Amino acid sequence: MASIQLNNVSKAYDSTEVLHNINLSIEEGEFIVLVGPSGCGKSTLLRMIAGLEPITGGDMYIGGQRVNEMRPRERDIAMVFQSYALYPHMSVERNMGFSLELRGAPKEERTQHVQEAAKVLGLEPYLQRLPRALSGGQRQRVAMGRAIVRDPKAFLFDEPLSNLDAALRVEMRLEIAKLHKRLSSTMVYVTHDQVEALTLADRIVVLNGGHIQQIGTPMELYETPANLFVAQFIGSPNMNVLPAERLNEGAANSIIPAQLREKTAQFGIRPEHTKVLEAEGCDETLPCHMKGKVVVVERLGSDANIYLDVERMGQFLVRHHGDINFDSGKEVSIHFDTNKTHYFDQNGDAIQ
């Protein structure tokens, strides 16, 4: 395993710059997730680390060695793609060991490495099968095994679960997390799925428009987002964001502290940090901060999402634990956990 260092790295296609002065330090054995919307530059950044895309500016180091002009095969990086890219005519065993075969490694060495990787990934019963006889999750494990047998300095994952159904994605997330713990290898993982980011990462790098918005642990990004983009991108469902001016005018109780009112342009509260009460159900322990009308209740089993229409604010979402029997059109009161509120200035930056 090896550390990865990016110093003011940029990427441009002709006159169009898609990554701007990226500074990122990845420690040995760390699991880093690059997350952001489509087109933010996360896959391009991963391909630059792999050497599949040239760097326009800045410097990149892997294991302390500058790799700007180094070819992909010289970087000793293993990459797992969205597509499994398995050879259909080769058995699982040969697919996994083919890179060692190309290097001229003896058959005994190839067999040993493949057997070790198959044991880690639970593929031992399938080594003689062809890829067409495997499920999607099993094929992705073979692709991961092909990377493991190389014993690389780092693993790069480019949205490896996006082709799987929901149940398999959950299963493979667990497999990747367990794999990281077993191997203690440096891993860089690209996804647009924030659930994958939150559950897998040691640290998350949030990208937007080719710029890093914030780097931190999953809970740092969830609890202390640096700006409105991170606040609304991290967390499911999305954070409610309300205009501060209207909120101060219409709130039954003051929500924004007096010392922050002049600076605050937007107020944020996550759906899980709110409660809905009967219209007259507030008291000193649960003060009412707003009133609204129920539009839709989404029942999710253990939780329910309650969509409300709040006068002059628009749509507002409350995450309620358990079932709830509020009909559409019912007037309710809304209580905020004032210890979990967020404040943003005119530029969208968080006010700490």
Side-chain angles (χ1 to χ4, degrees):
M1 60 182 176
S3 62
I4 300 173
Q5 184 80 33
L6 284 70
N7 296 335
N8 293 316
V9 168
S10 60
K11 175 66 180 177
Y13 296 100
D14 297 325
S15 60
T16 303
E17 192 167 1
V18 296
L19 285 168
H20 312 268
N21 298 322
I22 300 297
N23 289 286
L24 176 61
S25 180
I26 303 172
E27 302 298 327
E28 289 186 8
E30 192 172 20
F31 198 127
I32 290 289
V33 175
L34 308 178
V35 69
S38 297
C40 70
K42 55 188 184 294
S43 289
T44 300
L45 181 56
L46 195 77
R47 291 172 62 84
M48 290 165 67
I49 295 173
L52 301 174
E53 292 279 358
I55 296 171
T56 304
D59 295 295
M60 183 181 299
Y61 299 85
I62 298 177
Q65 182 179 12
R66 188 175 181 273
V67 297
N68 285 37
E69 290 80 29
M70 196 176 286
R71 291 179 295 181
R73 67 180 183 182
E74 298 170 334
R75 299 188 183 197
D76 195 16
I77 295 288
M79 195 161 182
V80 179
F81 294 94
Q82 180 177 341
S83 170
Y84 316 128
L86 302 179
Y87 296 106
H89 63 289
M90 292 185 185
S91 68
V92 167
E93 181 176 20
R94 194 170 177 213
N95 261 289
M96 289 172 64
F98 193 60
S99 62
L100 300 180
E101 186 177 331
L102 291 176
R103 291 181 183 180
K107 184 177 180 180
E108 295 78 10
E109 180 184 338
R110 299 199 306 266
T111 301
Q112 179 185 349
H113 283 288
V114 169
Q115 289 286 351
E116 290 172 353
K119 185 176 181 179
V120 168
L121 294 167
L123 290 172
E124 291 171 297
Y126 312 108
L127 287 176
Q128 302 311 314
R129 292 191 187 182
L130 294 176
R132 67 172 177 265
L134 303 177
S135 69
Q138 289 165 343
R139 292 178 194 178
Q140 192 58 274
R141 288 186 198 176
V142 175
M144 290 162 58
R146 182 175 53 194
I148 291 171
V149 298
R150 292 179 49 195
D151 191 24
K153 291 179 180 177
F155 292 86
L156 308 182
F157 295 87
D158 190 6
E159 302 200 48
L161 309 185
S162 58
N163 287 337
L164 304 179
D165 61 37
L168 271 178
R169 282 202 300 272
V170 173
E171 178 184 329
M172 288 305 300
R173 276 207 314 266
L174 179 60
E175 290 296 329
I176 291 172
K178 291 193 293 187
L179 180 66
H180 180 246
K181 290 189 179 299
R182 287 173 184 159
L183 301 179
S184 298
S185 298
T186 307
M187 294 186 176
V188 185
Y189 188 105
V190 161
T191 183
H192 64 274
D193 186 337
Q194 57 154 307
V195 175
E196 288 179 27
L198 290 167
T199 54
L200 289 173
D202 292 326
R203 285 189 300 152
I204 298 173
V205 180
V206 182
L207 289 159
N208 189 37
H211 294 274
I212 290 179
Q213 301 295 310
Q214 189 173 0
I215 303 172
T217 66
M219 290 311 296
E220 284 173 349
L221 269 59
Y222 176 80
E223 293 178 343
T224 56
N227 54 43
L228 264 175
F229 177 81
V230 177
Q232 295 191 287
F233 194 84
I234 298 295
S236 180
N238 290 350
M239 180 185 289
N240 295 298
V241 176
L242 306 172
E245 182 179 351
R246 293 182 184 178
L247 187 68
N248 278 329
E249 289 176 3
N253 291 275
S254 179
I255 298 171
I256 302 175
Q259 67 272 23
L260 299 181
R261 286 178 193 166
E262 289 188 7
K263 299 178 183 178
T264 302
Q266 302 285 341
F267 167 86
I269 184 81
R270 295 196 182 276
E272 56 269 32
H273 298 149
T274 61
K275 290 183 179 180
V276 288
L277 308 163
E278 295 287 345
E280 305 303 326
C282 304
D283 55 31
E284 292 182 0
T285 59
L286 286 175
C288 295
H289 295 107
M290 289 193 314
K291 294 185 181 294
K293 287 185 179 181
V294 175
V295 178
V296 173
V297 178
E298 292 181 337
R299 291 174 174 85
L300 306 173
S302 61
D303 294 312
N305 288 336
I306 307 166
Y307 291 88
L308 306 170
D309 180 35
V310 177
E311 187 178 357
R312 300 178 67 250
M313 301 288 181
Q315 182 175 284
F316 188 89
L317 176 59
V318 173
R319 187 73 176 263
H320 175 81
H321 184 64
D323 195 11
I324 196 163
N325 294 315
F326 284 171
D327 295 326
S328 178
K330 181 179 178 62
E331 290 196 8
V332 295
S333 295
I334 307 166
H335 167 77
F336 299 157
D337 182 345
T338 52
N339 294 317
K340 303 287 187 180
T341 51
H342 302 266
Y343 311 98
F344 304 94
D345 63 20
Q346 290 285 357
N347 299 319
D349 294 325
I351 302 172
Q352 304 298 335

